Amino acid sequence: MCKQYQLKLYVTGDTPRSQRAIANLYRICDQELPGQYQITVIDVTKSPQLAEAEHILVTPTLIKEFPNPVQRIVGDLSDTETVLWGLNIGISFKQD
């Protein structure tokens, strides 16, 4: 049985930065975790109580809730290697 990644992405409104983070997250998950992820996008302007409960101070913030350990990644998720590292997905790094 494969892992089902549970991810929450906190964004602020429909800004270019928010759109970029959402697009980057779906691109990475489609490439690296096809059929193995569930993404919940939370707009902190519409659900500030959820952001407060999760202690979200900046957006975009990605929280990987499952599998453990819980991880947080801040930013627009444009650095694929950082996102993969944060999700604990094995990647091979280039060596010079």
Side-chain angles (χ1 to χ4, degrees), residues 18-83:
S18 296
Q19 292 174 0
R20 194 168 45 249
I22 293 167
N24 284 333
L25 181 58
Y26 274 99
R27 176 185 50 78
I28 292 168
C29 288
D30 285 345
Q31 290 174 350
E32 303 296 332
L33 303 168
Q36 301 175 54
Y37 65 90
Q38 176 181 2
I39 296 173
T40 304
V41 177
I42 299 163
D43 183 345
V44 299
T45 64
K46 294 179 180 173
S47 302
Q49 73 284 0
L50 294 177
E52 185 177 333
E54 291 279 4
H55 306 286
I56 301 298
L57 300 176
V58 295
T59 60
T61 295
L62 173 64
I63 300 177
K64 178 184 66 86
E65 294 188 324
F66 187 83
N68 286 324
V70 174
Q71 300 274 2
R72 289 176 178 238
I73 303 170
V74 175
D76 68 3
L77 310 176
S78 58
D79 184 342
T80 301
E81 287 186 0
T82 298
V83 175

